[in-house]
Amino acid sequence: MSAFWYYVFTLVFFLFDYFILAMGLNIQYGETGILNFAYIGFVAIGAYVTGAASLPNSAGTGQQYIMGWGLPFPFNLLLGGLVASAVAVLVALIALRRLRTDYLAMVLVSLSLVLYDVINNYVPLFNGADGLYNVPQPMAGIFHLTTNSFIPFFAVVTGLVALLMWFIMSRIMNSPLGRTFRAIRDDDGVAGALGKNPFGYKLTSMIIGAFYAGVGGGLIIQFGGSFNPTAWLPGETFVVFAVIIVGGVGNNVGMLVGALLVETLLIHLPAFLPEIPGHPGLIEYIDTMVVGVLLMVMLWFRPQGVVPERVRKSAGMLADRARGRGRQLTTASEGQGKSGE
Amino acid sequence: MSDNVTPTTGAPVYALQCQDLKKAFQGVLAVAGATFDVPQGQITALIGPNGAGKTTVVNLLSGMMPSDSGRMQLVGTDVTNWPSHKIARRGLMRSFQLSRELGGLTVLENLLVAPKHQAGESLFNIFFRPLAVRREERENVERALETLKTYGLYDLRDNRARELSGGQKKLLEIARAVMAQPKVLLLDEPMAGVNPALIDRIGEYILDLKASGVTVLMVEHNLNVVEKICDHVIVLAEGRTLATGKLSDLRANQDVVQAYLGEVINASTHG
Ligand SMILES: Nc1ncnc2c1ncn2[C@@H]1O[C@H](COP(=O)(O)OP(=O)(O)O)[C@@H](O)[C@H]1O
Ligand SMILES: [Mg+2]
């Protein structure tokens, strides 16, 4: 396979993976209003757990890690998502019960720094600062994949996973549960006065979002075969925030557009561009700056994002019933596309 | 038999009772020992000068903030310092003095949030009992559209709530509370800042709610309105219950007149 296609499928992989990550952060922040500045920590947990579960027993591998069960795809991925969700429960119990949004954000930043330090310094957990490597390529044996053919194969697998997770997320967002999330986002005091327990719903939202984060992370470690501290610097959380803000908070199609614009075009594409002569590594810094500038421009001129949250019209609610079973897919593709306003 | 009509057992003929409620903000007593009962199935007015603590009392009764001391009962259940969602599920709904619409939701969605214990609010039901979810949602949509018709908001059903005018937001708050089928409704100045025609309409709505068995406690400044629709009046001054009774009795009460009613009564009866 030519280097060109290798690049293209790498970009496709990151497009779909960040689509998943963006949907997870969107349900937390865009739908429920939880400013989760620790999001990348849940991505990392998913990555490490998926990796450590798929690796063989650590004895003789030159690495130290827990688990080492040789767990196959997709069970390793599912486990990564579930463990991330379990950690979200703990975080929610600590941080989400009483704190106001701004304090909560600070506590979450602190928690993600603590998590970062623990994982990167406590070697027996996930091999410390070296991180995990030599993670087996999923299904490579079954489909006789080579190092080259694995890249497009796994980009497609990620696309299918993203499609499934989009279906599930649309269903949640278009349900009464999604509506109650948005009520809490708009005014959790009012939601409480209407009999909704804000903490309970925020907890649910954290669990769902963390599962998406964990799965997205699990896909990353399986795609590249390794994962280490440089992959989840705490600032990475803001790249995912940039994806959802640019794309359009509250809209799944916006998540895909945001992933394309921010993650694929701005973060990953420049890595394949030729270096600026005499300034090695400069491009990488420039792209981070470009993301920052784009974020500011968007917040200034189009805070609702490229694809804004759609208005859920009563006619749609009435028509949905008539269409019966096919309703979720139709609302997802047709309804989400409408830009509202 | 329902236990709420037998006074001999001490069971409630009162929808709400509070004893010696206190609440301070940074040392300033906003509510300094409020004690009163709200009779079931009637409309009670909570009046008093600005800063008397009326809104704070409503916040305490609805669980929006904990009291420093004192007790509250809702239809015979002690709900002292319960969180607002638990009080709401017991059948107490409220509106806000400064409207708090769910701005990003449509008018219809504002109402659809209100029903308690919706099947579709459970992740499990969404994926494993989709038919039950859809059936309940259909019923709720139909009831919400009916309610919007009643309150004259039907044409605005697909507008985002933040786009409504002040008066429309007041109506939306009442409609949303009604959608939750409350036993007790607390209204914090439901007619403040709305035009006279709408004041009359809101008055009618409140009388209709009473007719359907809802207990109403409303904060209201306009004594003409109080006279027209309220059965009882509670006067609050400096965080304390100054007097309770019928408005006509209170007019004769020298304390009340001096503390509060004097100027207002004179102003409103002249008008
Ligand atoms: N959240 C708050 N923080 C500080 N002071 C408050 C707060 N809410 C009310 N107060 C004070 O408590 C007193 C009573 O206010 P309030 O209950 O709003 O009166 P009313 O509704 O009768 O006009 C006022 O002095 C007000 O400034
Ligand atoms: Mg007030």
Side-chain angles (χ1 to χ4, degrees):
Chain A
M1 192 174 61
S2 73
F4 174 74
W5 287 108
Y6 171 87
Y7 294 150
V8 167
F9 280 109
T10 301
L11 293 180
V12 168
F13 166 79
F14 279 107
L15 170 65
F16 288 135
D17 193 69
Y18 268 71
F19 179 38
I20 296 170
L21 295 186
M23 285 192 286
L25 184 60
N26 181 54
I27 188 103
Q28 294 177 345
Y29 173 65
E31 297 281 294
T32 322
I34 306 166
L35 212 45
N36 184 0
F37 283 165
Y39 192 70
I40 200 67
F42 296 96
V43 178
I45 289 166
Y48 283 122
V49 169
T50 303
S54 8
L55 281 162
N57 191 297
S58 64
T61 58
Q63 307 182 52
Q64 292 185 54
Y65 46 82
I66 55 172
M67 298 189 283
W69 299 329
L71 198 65
F73 185 90
F75 304 104
N76 51 0
L77 194 61
L78 214 53
L79 186 69
L82 290 175
V83 173
S85 289
V87 174
V89 174
L90 292 179
V91 169
L93 287 175
I94 297 169
L96 225 54
R97 215 174 239 296
R98 297 202 177 280
L99 296 177
R100 282 197 347 234
T101 310
D102 38 1
Y103 290 118
L104 170 68
M106 287 191 271
V107 168
L108 286 169
V109 169
S110 315
L111 277 176
S112 86
L113 294 174
V114 170
L115 187 73
Y116 193 74
D117 275 351
V118 168
I119 289 185
N120 298 331
N121 291 304
Y122 184 61
V123 180
L125 198 57
F126 298 120
N127 210 30
D130 290 338
L132 298 176
Y133 47 88
N134 291 337
V135 174
Q137 295 181 331
M139 298 174 285
I142 305 172
F143 294 103
H144 306 290
L145 300 172
T146 64
T147 313
N148 264 345
S149 54
F150 175 76
I151 300 279
F153 169 77
F154 201 69
V156 170
V157 168
T158 301
L160 293 175
V161 173
L163 194 67
L164 176 68
M165 294 182 83
W166 181 12
F167 174 77
I168 291 171
M169 188 57 88
S170 298
R171 193 132 183 181
I172 294 171
M173 283 168 59
N174 290 324
S175 73
L177 178 64
R179 185 169 60 218
T180 299
F181 284 156
R182 292 193 300 282
I184 286 167
R185 171 198 68 191
D186 284 359
D187 191 331
D188 63 352
V190 168
L194 289 170
K196 319 296 168 184
N197 178 0
F199 173 72
Y201 287 103
K202 285 179 186 170
L203 178 64
T204 307
S205 177
M206 278 294 277
I207 291 173
I208 299 169
F211 183 81
Y212 276 63
V215 167
L219 290 164
I220 291 175
I221 197 172
Q222 293 186 92
F223 182 72
S226 66
F227 197 84
N228 62 50
T230 59
W232 62 295
L233 296 169
E236 277 293 309
T237 291
F238 298 99
V239 175
V240 191
F241 267 102
V243 168
I244 71 171
I245 288 168
V246 169
V249 163
N251 190 313
N252 280 333
V253 174
M255 298 305 103
L256 190 60
V257 172
L260 179 70
L261 291 178
V262 174
E263 179 62 17
T264 309
L265 296 185
L266 290 180
I267 302 281
H268 281 282
L269 191 60
F272 296 127
L273 296 178
E275 288 290 353
I276 297 167
H279 300 280
L282 183 60
I283 280 205
E284 291 215 17
Y285 289 101
I286 289 179
D287 69 26
T288 317
M289 274 160 47
V290 171
V291 170
V293 170
L294 178 66
L295 197 55
M296 283 192 282
V297 169
M298 285 301 292
L299 287 173
W300 200 268
F301 292 105
R302 198 175 164 82
Q304 72 272 40
V306 176
V307 191
E309 181 172 45
R310 75 193 174 94
V311 176
R312 288 165 171 82
K313 301 238 181 212
S314 55
M317 293 180 202
L318 297 165
D320 282 350
R321 303 187 227 140
R323 283 206 295 269
R325 282 226 146 250
R327 106 170 221 239
Q328 290 306 333
L329 274 177
T330 16
T331 40
S333 55
E334 190 187 286
Q336 301 272 344
K338 284 187 207 130
S339 57
E341 319 285 73
Chain B
M1 257 312 280
S2 148
D3 59 6
N4 58 2
V5 281
T6 44
T8 46
T9 64
V13 281
Y14 295 114
L16 275 173
Q17 293 173 282
C18 54
Q19 291 104 36
D20 209 25
L21 278 185
K22 286 186 181 147
K23 179 73 183 179
F25 297 107
Q26 289 101 38
V28 179
L29 269 179
V31 178
T35 302
F36 59 81
D37 303 321
V38 176
Q40 199 149 45
Q42 305 197 331
I43 302 174
T44 302
L46 182 60
I47 65 174
N50 265 327
K54 305 179 295 293
T55 296
T56 308
V57 164
V58 170
N59 284 337
L60 297 176
L61 290 174
S62 57
M64 304 291 287
M65 48 179 68
S67 61
D68 298 337
S69 65
R71 307 218 64 81
M72 340 182 303
Q73 272 142 287
L74 171 61
V75 204
T77 308
D78 191 305
V79 295
T80 308
N81 290 349
W82 280 23
S84 59
H85 66 271
K86 283 179 81 178
I87 292 181
R89 285 187 209 159
R90 283 285 174 136
L92 183 143
M93 285 288 135
R94 67 164 296 176
S95 73
F96 295 87
Q97 181 174 356
L98 301 170
S99 298
R100 283 168 72 172
E101 72 286 354
L102 301 166
L105 272 58
T106 66
V107 168
L108 176 60
E109 285 180 305
N110 264 264
L111 266 66
L112 290 174
V113 170
K116 286 166 261 186
H117 304 295
Q118 297 181 39
E121 287 178 317
S122 136
L123 211 46
F124 179 87
N125 289 341
I126 294 169
F127 292 101
F128 299 104
R129 296 180 57 222
L131 286 176
V133 170
R134 209 171 308 145
R135 193 178 323 122
E136 191 189 60
E137 181 74 353
R138 171 167 58 236
E139 287 163 12
N140 284 339
V141 169
E142 270 155 19
R143 193 157 62 83
L145 289 173
E146 280 309 309
T147 309
L148 287 176
K149 279 178 192 157
T150 306
Y151 286 87
L153 294 169
Y154 183 79
D155 291 341
L156 296 164
R157 63 193 179 282
D158 290 332
N159 286 53
R160 285 209 156 111
R162 73 167 79 95
E163 298 160 4
L164 300 190
S165 72
Q168 290 164 340
K169 286 178 182 176
K170 290 267 176 199
L171 286 171
L172 176 61
E173 287 223 356
I174 300 175
R176 187 175 65 193
V178 168
M179 186 71 192
Q181 299 176 312
K183 291 191 198 122
V184 180
L185 186 56
L186 310 186
L187 301 171
D188 196 350
E189 304 201 18
M191 299 166 184
V194 305
N195 65 55
L198 191 51
I199 288 183
D200 288 345
R201 243 175 80 200
I202 294 177
E204 293 298 320
Y205 292 139
I206 295 172
L207 286 170
D208 288 348
L209 287 170
K210 175 190 172 187
S212 66
V214 180
T215 303
V216 178
L217 174 67
M218 59 187 282
V219 177
E220 185 50 63
H221 278 300
N222 186 331
L223 291 184
N224 291 324
V225 172
V226 172
E227 184 135 52
K228 228 186 274 175
I229 71 171
C230 297
D231 305 295
H232 295 267
V233 177
I234 298 163
V235 186
L236 212 62
E238 292 172 356
R240 274 188 201 83
T241 335
L242 191 63
T244 60
K246 299 206 177 307
L247 187 61
S248 48
D249 301 338
L250 294 179
R251 285 188 206 270
N253 180 325
Q254 212 42 47
D255 286 347
V256 176
V257 171
Q258 269 172 7
Y260 167 60
L261 288 179
E263 33 185 319
V264 187
I265 287 182
N266 291 335
S268 67
T269 46
H270 284 272

